[in-house]
């Protein structure tokens, strides 16, 4: 156990993608304060996406954004209140022709917290019993390609920019014919960091021995803190993608800055803008996630974050000229309290 803890410590130490958020965001916070003074308002960022709660910084409803996107570009989605009876949920799922497996996630949440892949009635019943917040049940898009596309458009301009594109590589292990699943997990640094959670999951038998060459998916949810590797995919950006996301952004009123998390059948289809399904729309809380590529440099990542806050400021000031106003202190405080009460 001591050797495992020491190994985990060194993995985190020498890979800044695992460093505490406050270290990465300390210089960003100082820059935000400078921009706030320049804007003469601490909530100037709420004007970047005027129709998203607090511009999408936190506690933003996923359902509200998805409802604005045409059904052809998103998974079938059911919005559920806590304490809803399972019989009612099943009837509503049937009306949408939704079958297992299904994705369940909090309507307001970040970083993959509370997201589950449900394979059965029993798991759905357990999720309903445990959740205390509004949540979504989504069609599970079983496509091998998942990405996050960061997009922004300056108000008044007809086309936008894709400055960041991240391709997600899900956490897997490969059998060798003699090592157990637990041993394979502990041999892989990215899996070792979350080994306790992985080994407690249903469907993972720590003593199972995988045949040589056989891969096993450990975590189907594409979040960095759940073991997914974020790979810089900026080389995939092209005019077809920009055209697709320009058109998509116009479906969401007054949306100018954020990240689209999505799935597609293949990388080739994705590059052509074919068959893309939008899983989530994020606002100013969205990061240009390619900075968390294992080969990315810390200070380059910080400079990228600083640049994007400059973009938020620019968009916000342009929207201010168009008559939009930042959130008031009272509105921001109410939103913050709602967020804290849901934790």
């Amino acid at each position: 156990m001591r050797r495992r803890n020491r190994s985990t410590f060194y993995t985190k130490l020498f890979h800044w993608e695992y460093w505490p958020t406050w270290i990465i965001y300390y210089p960003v916070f100082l820059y935000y304060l400078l921009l706030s003074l320049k804007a003469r308002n601490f909530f100037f960022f709420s004007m970047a996406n005027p129709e998203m709660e607090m511009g999408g910084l936190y506690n933003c409803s996923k359902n509200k954004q998805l409802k604005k996107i045409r059904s052809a570009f998103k998974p079938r989605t059911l919005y559920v209140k806590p304490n809803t009876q399972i019989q009612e949920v099943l009837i509503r799922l049937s009306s949408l022709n939704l079958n297992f497996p299904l994705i369940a996630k909090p309507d307001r949440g970040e970083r993959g917290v509370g997201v589950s892949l449900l394979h059965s009635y029993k798991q759905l019943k357990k999720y309903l019993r445990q959740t205390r917040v509004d949540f979504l049940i989504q069609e599970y898009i079983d496509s091998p390609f998942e990405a996050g596309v960061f997009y922004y458009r300056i108000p008044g301009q007809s086309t936008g920019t894709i400055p960041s594109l991240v391709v997600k590589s899900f956490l897997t292990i490969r059998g060798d014919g003699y090592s157990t699943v637990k041993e394979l997990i502990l041999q892989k640094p990215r899996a070792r960091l979350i080994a306790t959670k992985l080994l407690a999951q249903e469907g993972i038998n720590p003593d199972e021995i995988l045949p040589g060459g056989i891969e096993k998916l450990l975590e189907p949810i594409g979040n960095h803190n759940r073991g997914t590797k974020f790979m810089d995919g900026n080389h995939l950006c092209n005019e077809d993608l920009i055209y697709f996301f320009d058109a998509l952004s116009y479906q969401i009123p007054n949306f100018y800055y954020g990240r689209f998390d999505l799935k597609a059948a293949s990388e080739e289809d994705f590059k052509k803008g074919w068959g893309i399904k939008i899983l989530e729309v994020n606002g100013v809380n969205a990061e240009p996630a390619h900075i968390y590529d294992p080969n990315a440099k810390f200070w380059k990542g910080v400079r990228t974050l600083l640049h994007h806050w400059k973009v938020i400021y620019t968009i916000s000031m342009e929207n201010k000229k168009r008559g939009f106003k930042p959130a008031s202190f009272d509105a921001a405080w109410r939103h913050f309290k709602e967020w804290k009460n849901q934790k």
Side-chain angles (χ1 to χ4, degrees):
M1 178 63 71
R2 184 176 298 175
R3 179 182 298 177
R4 172 180 160 189
N5 290 340
R6 186 165 60 246
S7 177
T8 298
F9 170 78
Y10 286 123
T11 298
K12 291 181 177 180
L13 179 64
F14 293 111
H15 296 83
W16 75 269
E17 60 177 303
Y18 300 119
W19 290 2
T21 303
W22 69 264
I23 295 178
I24 302 166
Y25 271 88
Y26 181 71
V28 179
F29 177 70
L30 294 178
Y31 186 54
Y32 155 74
L33 290 179
L34 178 63
L35 293 175
S36 297
L37 292 174
K38 191 175 179 181
R40 298 182 180 180
N41 193 290
F42 285 109
F43 308 117
F44 70 88
F45 55 81
S46 63
M47 294 185 289
N49 299 309
E51 298 195 28
M52 293 179 75
E53 300 144 301
M54 297 302 294
L57 182 66
Y58 62 92
N59 198 37
C60 188
S61 170
K62 297 178 176 67
N63 190 52
K64 284 183 180 179
Q65 309 315 314
L66 284 173
K67 283 171 65 176
K68 299 168 186 175
I69 296 174
R70 293 202 298 270
S71 58
F73 302 112
K74 62 185 178 183
R76 286 166 288 166
T77 302
L78 182 66
Y79 179 78
V80 184
K81 291 279 189 180
N83 301 317
T84 302
Q85 296 298 311
I86 191 167
Q87 290 80 7
E88 180 184 341
V89 174
L90 292 173
I91 291 171
R92 293 171 65 193
L93 288 173
S94 178
S95 70
L96 293 175
N97 196 28
L98 279 171
N99 301 303
F100 295 105
L102 300 164
I103 291 287
K105 63 176 72 171
D107 182 44
R108 299 172 186 268
E110 290 88 25
R111 299 183 181 275
V113 176
V115 182
S116 295
L117 177 60
L118 308 177
H119 292 278
S120 65
Y121 169 86
K122 180 181 177 180
Q123 290 178 335
L124 173 60
K125 188 175 182 179
K126 181 180 178 181
Y127 193 91
L128 279 167
R129 185 173 65 250
Q130 293 179 342
T131 190
R132 295 293 179 266
V133 297
D134 297 357
F135 66 96
L136 308 180
I137 299 178
Q138 285 186 329
E139 168 189 10
Y140 177 56
I141 307 296
D142 189 17
S143 298
F145 184 87
E146 184 165 337
V149 173
F150 202 100
Y151 171 93
Y152 71 80
R153 176 166 47 86
I154 305 299
Q157 295 184 1
S158 60
T159 189
T161 301
I162 297 176
S164 172
L165 199 163
V166 64
V167 177
K168 300 181 181 183
S169 176
F170 292 92
L171 187 60
T172 60
I173 50 175
R174 182 185 293 270
D176 55 19
Y178 57 87
S179 297
T180 65
V181 165
K182 181 177 181 179
E183 289 169 339
L184 292 171
I185 287 174
L186 296 180
Q187 290 169 16
K188 192 165 189 172
R190 192 170 292 271
R192 188 165 58 239
L193 292 172
I194 55 171
T196 302
K197 291 181 179 179
L198 289 174
L199 294 170
Q201 286 183 0
E202 290 186 43
I204 292 185
N205 178 4
D207 299 319
E208 179 185 5
I209 296 177
L210 298 177
I214 298 299
E215 285 194 345
K216 181 178 182 67
L217 177 65
L218 296 175
E219 177 55 75
I221 309 301
N223 290 91
H224 186 266
N225 65 339
R226 294 176 70 155
T228 300
K229 183 191 295 184
F230 283 8
M231 300 184 298
D232 189 336
N234 286 335
H235 61 283
L236 301 177
C237 187
N238 58 53
E239 290 185 2
D240 288 337
L241 278 179
I242 293 174
Y243 177 81
F244 177 87
F245 285 99
D246 277 338
L248 188 67
S249 72
Y250 280 107
Q251 295 180 32
I252 308 173
N254 294 308
F255 176 84
Y256 297 100
Y257 181 99
R259 191 187 68 243
F260 297 94
D261 293 330
L262 59 90
K263 282 198 172 187
S266 68
E267 182 180 297
E268 287 304 311
D269 282 358
F270 167 72
K271 288 192 295 185
K272 296 173 184 176
W274 292 354
I276 291 175
K277 295 286 187 178
I278 304 300
L279 308 179
E280 288 186 17
V281 182
N282 301 279
V284 295
N285 68 325
E287 296 174 307
H290 75 281
I291 65 173
Y292 295 114
D293 184 294
N295 296 316
K297 304 300 182 184
F298 172 75
W299 284 112
K300 186 175 181 180
V302 171
R303 287 196 299 270
T304 299
L305 291 172
L306 293 174
H307 169 72
H308 279 272
W309 270 94
K310 183 178 180 180
V311 171
I312 291 172
Y313 174 83
T314 300
I315 292 172
S316 298
M317 293 304 101
E318 286 298 317
N319 276 333
K320 184 177 181 181
K321 294 176 185 177
R322 301 171 69 222
F324 291 103
K325 295 181 179 180
S328 67
F329 179 84
D330 287 343
W333 180 245
R334 285 196 303 272
H335 192 69
F336 176 76
K337 288 197 296 184
E338 290 174 2
W339 175 57
K340 294 296 289 184
N341 289 336
Q342 290 189 36
K343 287 196 163 189

